[in-house]
Amino acid sequence: QVQVVESGGGLVQTGGSLRLSCIASGFRFDAYAMAWFRQAPGKEREGVACISRRSGEKYYVASVKGRFTISRDNVKNTLYLEMNSLQPDDTAMYYCAPDLSSGFLPTRCLSARAVDPSYWGQGTQVTVSS
């Protein structure tokens, strides 16, 4: 079954940087798009970045564009999120998930509701202090 394990979160000051990792198993990692999501207290889970299976296409939501970079290593079955210029509004639990559909469609890839609930990992907490 699909399993993902996120790591790399922590407490940073405003303007700081973090690099998140997500190790995936249970499916053919290099065959599918992957996405990062986040959920702040009291808010819905939202997609922030999505990458196609061979990294040829990447999509970011406006709030993180220019600050976050999504990447993947298909040999290591690992997804990354490099986060720079972090702001307090970036404080959230961060999750990764695969888009186990064919093709690359950012609107689908970034839809938390489209993710099978069993695919979610435990997440990694990012806290940005002001």
Side-chain angles (χ1 to χ4, degrees), residues 28-114:
R28 187 178 165 185
F29 184 78
D30 63 355
Y32 300 101
M34 292 289 297
W36 283 101
F37 299 81
R38 65 186 181 186
Q39 187 168 19
K43 295 187 177 181
E44 289 191 0
R45 192 167 300 186
E46 62 170 351
V48 296
C50 185
I51 186 170
S52 61
R53 63 190 184 104
R54 294 181 179 177
S55 305
E57 297 176 83
K58 301 177 183 180
Y59 184 86
Y60 302 91
V61 295
S63 59
V64 306
K65 196 169 185 178
R67 300 188 299 121
F68 290 10
T69 301
I70 189 171
S71 62
R72 64 191 295 163
D73 184 332
N74 286 348
V75 174
K76 296 181 178 179
N77 281 13
T78 303
L79 178 73
Y80 302 100
L81 186 67
E82 185 78 33
M83 305 186 297
N84 298 313
S85 302
L86 283 162
Q87 302 296 317
D89 284 349
D90 296 316
T91 295
M93 188 72 79
Y94 283 71
Y95 302 88
C96 66
D99 176 8
L100 299 185
S101 300
S102 60
F104 181 68
L105 187 61
T107 52
R108 182 186 65 213
C109 187
L110 292 175
S111 171
R113 295 184 180 184

Side-chain angles (χ1 to χ4, degrees), residues 12-34:
V12 296
Q13 293 184 334
T14 296
S17 299
L18 283 173
R19 188 193 195 203
L20 306 184
S21 298
C22 162
I23 299 176
S25 62
F27 64 100
R28 187 178 165 185
F29 184 78
D30 63 355
Y32 300 101
M34 292 289 297

